[in-house]
Amino acid sequence: MNKIKELIQKEYDRQHNTLGMIPSENYTSKEVREAVGSVFMHKYSEGYPAARYYEGNEVIDELEGFVRDMAVKVMTKHDSKEVQNNWHANVQVLSGSAANLAVYTSILEPGDKILSMYLPDGGHLSHGWSYSSKKDRADSLESEGIAYKGGKKKVNFTSKVFDIVQYKTDPNTFVFDYDQIEKLAVQEQPKLIITGGTAYPRDIDYQRMREIADKVGAYYHADAAHEAGLIAGGAVSSPFEYADFVTFTTHKTLRGPKGAVAMCRKEFSKNLDRAVFPGLQGGPFNHTIAGVGQAFIEADTKDFENYAKQIVKNAQVLADELVNAGLNVITKGTDKHLVLVEVLSDGISGSDLASKLAEIGIIANKNTVPYEKGSPVHPSGFRLGTPILTTRGMKEDAIKEVAEIIIDLFNRLKNNKEDFADLKDRVNNLCLKYKLPN
Ligand code: DSN
């Protein structure tokens, strides 16, 4: 066996023998993996269907047209006909960050103001993160109320090019206070407002955000990377009636390959397509587009709707079990696929908890929590998700057992106990019972 084949087998075994609980990950079907590994990877096709810069694209044209139509059909499935007819999809964007950049550059000029969610509360780097060193921070007014105005270190390209203001969650409940966001928007007059992120466990009131955007004449972009599959499955609310742009990655709850889609109301379609190509990218990854198409075919089924709803039920059971055991679950629950837990007040760091979980075979990740006192490298919390466990076939009872194991580990760490062998055995048994998909 050559080195690469050996590593593929090793990674397969690792995935099989552990319980993946990182909310942004999922396991694909064999058909998705075959599409991504197909001959579509051989073809250059800069341009768009029927307007290419290379010959030999008749099949690729058909592929891209089909996947574009499927994106609109599947993602707006739970919206009215009128909404469904008003959306366009660009399936060439290579990643979630690239999709977001395409949105910004399609409607904004450098220096324009964006209002987005504060990163440590669960926003995303590509929404424009910057910060100052502790020394600079002490002298500045960069953070006031729910507003964060960024710092000198422009970490992400978005913050280098645009003027970024961020909104935090409410300091007591850690959910959005929409009246405060509205006040901030009126004060700052942004040209674009963004919602969405990586660790906000609650559904977003898209209608209210639209009203805020309208009040200040801003465009509204919903980054639905985490929720895409839940929206397609009708398990959370849909942003399509209210947003001007919706971007998402295809490998999280949507259960496709690593990739992304950028969608917009039809009036912005020319701008968005030009921003992707030739604005930001060259030739699309046609093999990824094929894999995304296969994921949409799978998501366009009753089975997938049941899957999406089960992801949420499982996450809610997990959150309830952790809350009942006394863990500090942020917002005391979840409306979607992820649960965010603060552990530092119990004397455990988020990194320690995540690495001990990995030792017993539960793969989660350390995470910042709202009003974080630590840093992204040493945060006070950790994040758990149910998309993979649900793909493996787990329902509420199995999730309760997973919760029991996590709670047991948490209590042992609290009491400085370091023997986890029995917990590792319990995880192993669950891995044997709930197998990876084919
Ligand atoms: N890195 C993703 C996550 O883990 O949430 C977001 O891009």
Side-chain angles (χ1 to χ4, degrees), residues 328-374:
N328 185 15
V329 173
I330 300 298
T331 79
K332 297 190 169 40
T334 182
D335 297 325
K336 40 198 197 191
H337 62 303
L338 69 87
V339 180
L340 183 63
V341 190
E342 184 275 329
V343 282
L344 199 61
S345 52
D346 289 292
I348 307 166
S349 78
S351 340
D352 254 10
L353 206 285
S355 77
K356 296 293 184 215
L357 279 173
E359 275 178 33
I360 62 163
I362 293 180
I363 309 300
N365 70 288
K366 61 184 176 188
N367 217 93
T368 55
V369 299
Y371 297 86
E372 174 65 57
K373 299 273 187 308

Side-chain angles (χ1 to χ4, degrees), residues 11 19 90 116 119 126 217 228 291 307 330-331 359 376 393 402 413:
E11 176 59 10
L19 296 178
N90 184 305
S116 60
L119 181 73
S126 64
Y307 166 67
I330 300 298
T331 79
E359 275 178 33
V402 173
L413 281 175

Side-chain angles (χ1 to χ4, degrees), residues 196-371:
T198 62
Y200 186 65
R202 293 299 175 178
D203 210 359
I204 291 170
D205 187 343
Y206 296 115
Q207 183 174 3
R208 184 78 176 91
M209 290 306 298
R210 171 82 257 169
E211 285 162 11
I212 296 171
D214 283 345
K215 187 160 184 183
V216 298
Y219 299 108
Y220 175 32
H221 166 202
D223 180 341
H226 270 258
E227 299 87 354
L230 305 181
I231 294 168
V236 294
S237 44
S238 163
F240 288 95
E241 189 177 342
Y242 305 107
D244 297 306
F245 297 88
V246 176
T247 55
F248 54 94
T249 45
T250 46
H251 47 269
K252 297 185 173 91
T253 47
L254 192 60
R255 212 159 55 173
K258 277 259 185 304
V261 175
M263 293 179 64
C264 63
R265 288 183 188 272
K266 279 185 176 160
E267 63 192 282
F268 303 112
S269 58
K270 274 207 177 93
N271 279 24
L272 183 65
D273 283 351
R274 277 197 206 115
V276 176
F277 174 84
L280 291 164
Q281 295 181 184
F285 288 5
N286 295 306
H287 51 302
T288 305
I289 293 174
V292 169
Q294 175 62 33
F296 281 130
I297 289 173
E298 292 169 18
D300 193 19
T301 58
K302 189 76 196 151
D303 274 357
F304 189 86
E305 270 192 47
N306 293 338
Y307 166 67
K309 287 175 182 155
Q310 190 65 48
I311 290 178
V312 176
K313 272 191 222 159
N314 284 350
Q316 288 174 336
V317 165
L318 176 65
D320 286 349
E321 294 294 307
L322 300 183
V323 168
N324 291 340
L327 275 80
N328 185 15
V329 173
I330 300 298
T331 79
K332 297 190 169 40
T334 182
D335 297 325
K336 40 198 197 191
H337 62 303
L338 69 87
V339 180
L340 183 63
V341 190
E342 184 275 329
V343 282
L344 199 61
S345 52
D346 289 292
I348 307 166
S349 78
S351 340
D352 254 10
L353 206 285
S355 77
K356 296 293 184 215
L357 279 173
E359 275 178 33
I360 62 163
I362 293 180
I363 309 300
N365 70 288
K366 61 184 176 188
N367 217 93
T368 55
V369 299
Y371 297 86

